[in-house]
Amino acid sequence: PAAPGGGNCRLTGGLQITDLGLGKLSKLKNLKRLNVSGAKLTPAGLKVLAALPLERLSLWACEGLDDSAAAVLAEIPTLAMIDLSYTPITNQGLHQLAKLPNLKNLYLTETKVTPDAIAAFRTTNPKTFVSWAKRPAPRGSPLQGAKEVIEE
């Protein structure tokens, strides 16, 4: 039987969630979709998720998650969607995620992944949609032509 809410769990106030709180979710054996965006998680804390049938996982802006977190996520074969936008994941982490057999959507906006790594991933994983972008750097000096303020 499905969990109440159809196997969905969105934790509001994600900034307050830590590894300890995530560990409490391991009891939800039917959990398929989890959103803990902005939580203060570590790669070690993610290990409790490996026992769950997760299909969708949003870790948007979880700044404590790096390439070692990608290695942990690569051990969850049921994952079809992962959002790691605004995390410090790099090309090495992307390489780990390529191991996921059911991955269909991957979100990597504002990460340290390079355009070349994205292109290579798309070549070897053509069935996975990858959303990736970087904000363009500002052009010129932000105060170009401004006069200096002199306090008297």
Side-chain angles (χ1 to χ4, degrees), residues 115-134:
D116 290 341
I118 294 291
F121 183 90
R122 286 177 172 156
T123 300
T124 58
N125 300 275
K127 293 183 180 180
T128 302
F129 169 79
V130 180
S131 176
W132 174 88
K134 290 228 180 256

Side-chain angles (χ1 to χ4, degrees), residues 59-62 82-87 107-111 131:
L59 298 167
W60 183 89
C62 291
I82 306 172
D83 189 346
L84 286 166
S85 297
Y86 297 90
T87 64
Y107 299 90
L108 296 169
T109 299
E110 288 294 320
T111 60
S131 176

Side-chain angles (χ1 to χ4, degrees), residues 35-56:
N35 182 343
V36 288
S37 296
K40 296 188 181 301
L41 303 175
T42 67
L46 293 180
K47 291 180 181 178
V48 300
L49 301 178
L52 301 174
L54 285 174
E55 295 172 0
R56 299 173 58 94

Side-chain angles (χ1 to χ4, degrees), residues 58-122:
S58 181
L59 298 167
W60 183 89
C62 291
E63 297 173 353
L65 301 181
D66 56 14
D67 293 331
S68 57
V72 173
L73 296 174
E75 299 297 319
I76 308 173
T78 53
L79 280 173
M81 189 286 294
I82 306 172
D83 189 346
L84 286 166
S85 297
Y86 297 90
T87 64
I89 191 169
T90 70
N91 298 348
Q92 182 182 356
L94 179 61
H95 182 72
Q96 292 290 324
L97 296 174
K99 299 173 184 175
L100 288 166
N102 295 305
L103 190 61
K104 297 198 178 10
N105 295 291
L106 180 60
Y107 299 90
L108 296 169
T109 299
E110 288 294 320
T111 60
K112 296 179 181 180
V113 178
T114 64
D116 290 341
I118 294 291
F121 183 90
R122 286 177 172 156

